[in-house]
Amino acid sequence: MLTHGSIEEISRLVVETVQQSLASLGIEAAHVDGDFQLFSVEGFDSLSFVRLLMSFEQKCGRTLDLSAIDFNSIETIDALVSQLYNQWIEYLTNTQ
């Protein structure tokens, strides 16, 4: 569950989720960091990405606004984290 919503916490959750997603494909992902190219791994495709987002939603306890994600600009984990963090900030702003 997402507790503080800091960019570091979101990054940690995304890295954990990517590692789990890759493991489910039978790919060892011991060294996954912000520069990791998501779609450079054979077998990691758009369906894997959707599963990754769904798993992230479960971990953070809220639904993502998929229409607000620029899928064409997401190549690395850092790019994904940036968009998810922006959504989190917008969510917090709208709920206060």
Side-chain angles (χ1 to χ4, degrees), residues 5-17:
S6 68
I7 198 158
E8 293 83 9
E9 184 179 22
I10 291 172
S11 180
R12 180 186 54 76
L13 279 175
V14 169
V15 166
E16 286 175 6
T17 305

Side-chain angles (χ1 to χ4, degrees), residues 1-19 32-34 38 52-53 55-57 59-62 64 69 74 76-92:
M1 177 76 73
L2 195 60
T3 55
H4 304 301
S6 68
I7 198 158
E8 293 83 9
E9 184 179 22
I10 291 172
S11 180
R12 180 186 54 76
L13 279 175
V14 169
V15 166
E16 286 175 6
T17 305
V18 167
Q19 287 173 327
V32 174
D33 60 13
L38 290 169
L52 183 150
L53 292 177
S55 179
F56 180 81
E57 287 178 332
K59 288 182 179 186
C60 74
R62 65 174 297 272
L64 296 171
I69 295 176
I74 297 174
T76 65
I77 288 180
D78 280 346
L80 176 59
V81 167
S82 176
Q83 290 197 40
L84 296 177
Y85 179 71
N86 289 339
Q87 273 202 40
W88 182 252
I89 295 302
E90 185 175 329
Y91 168 76
L92 290 177

Side-chain angles (χ1 to χ4, degrees), residues 44-57:
F44 190 85
D45 55 14
S46 57
L47 182 57
S48 301
F49 187 72
V50 169
R51 287 183 181 137
L52 183 150
L53 292 177
M54 291 171 55
S55 179
F56 180 81
E57 287 178 332

